[in-house]
Amino acid sequence: MPSFDQRQLEQLAHSVGSFRSGKYSDFTIRCSDGGIIRAHRAIVCPRSRVLSAAVNGVFKEAVSQEIVLDEEEPPIVAKMIDFLYRLDYDDNRLDTEDQPPTSGPHNSIPPPVIFKFQEGTGSTPAAEGSESESRLNPKIYIIADKYDIQALKEWAVAKYKEVLPATWNSPSFIESASLVFEKTLESDRILREVIIRKASENAKALFDRGEFVALLQSHGDFAAEVLRDVVFNQPNDARSR
């Protein structure tokens, strides 16, 4: 197979950049703050059956070629679309060296998309980078499940697991646990299992945090699963610490 020379790679990068800038777009996504993302069905629809059904079916979106996502947070929508274009998204980590390793289909990932909203009062998602990665990645996981983007769900879990060693003993970890147990189905186990295992591994330390105790008291299903993991899955020396 012939290899690409530098000029061909630059041309390919320019073509991808044109797509990501909204050039040649054929449908729009309107966010809750009035901001608009211009997108391309050829890129978005093969990766999301829900969005594909909306713009290609018998719904009003198929006629207007506009999808209104007024129940979603605009920065989360932008990161979801970012992933559909480049198989990655920026999860607001301050230290970019801590980002998950780029292997397999994520190799040679282009830089993050800064979607510039073109109407309404929407601001660029980059301005909203204050949310911690511990909360943001679960939100990405939840929106990926809603719009049936399995690869994005898996990537959000990978990113979440990467930051856990530095974030498990923090309010943001407890907030993420509450978010996942409130917004995902009980049968959706992937991210729940990650949270349960980290909480059970560090239950003694976490019990010193009032917000963790409050979470156990308010979410009986979470408390029961953490207890079950402590009793049945942790080694004896971990339980005795």
Side-chain angles (χ1 to χ4, degrees), residues 25 27 32 45 53 67 98 123 147 154 181 186 195 200 224 238:
S25 63
F27 83 103
S32 61
C45 292
I67 298 175
D98 289 338
S123 58
Y147 293 100
E154 295 171 359
F181 273 77
E186 186 178 357
I195 292 171
S200 68

Side-chain angles (χ1 to χ4, degrees), residues 104-219:
H106 305 280
N107 212 10
S108 301
I109 292 172
V113 178
I114 304 300
F115 285 106
K116 294 182 179 179
F117 294 129
Q118 299 178 9
E119 295 181 13
T121 60
S123 58
T124 61
E128 313 240 0
S130 60
E131 180 157 41
S132 75
E133 60 271 23
S134 291
R135 280 179 49 84
L136 188 144
N137 287 313
K139 287 185 176 183
I140 298 294
Y141 179 90
I142 291 166
I143 200 172
D145 180 68
K146 183 173 182 178
Y147 293 100
D148 194 12
I149 310 171
Q150 186 62 32
L152 178 55
K153 287 184 68 175
E154 295 171 359
W155 198 233
V157 172
K159 283 177 172 282
Y160 185 80
K161 290 168 72 174
E162 284 283 323
V163 303
L164 265 185
T167 59
W168 66 264
N169 195 9
S170 69
S172 62
F173 169 70
I174 298 165
E175 291 168 2
S176 72
S178 176
L179 182 68
V180 169
F181 273 77
E182 288 175 1
K183 300 293 186 178
T184 65
L185 296 175
E186 186 178 357
S187 58
D188 188 352
R189 305 299 304 173
I190 304 174
L191 191 51
R192 284 182 174 227
E193 292 292 348
V194 174
I195 292 171
I196 291 164
R197 178 54 51 89
K198 184 57 67 173
S200 68
E201 289 174 349
N202 300 281
K204 186 173 182 180
L206 287 169
F207 260 99
D208 290 334
R209 306 192 69 93
E211 60 265 47
F212 180 72
V213 175
L215 177 63
L216 295 175
Q217 292 172 337
S218 61
H219 293 70

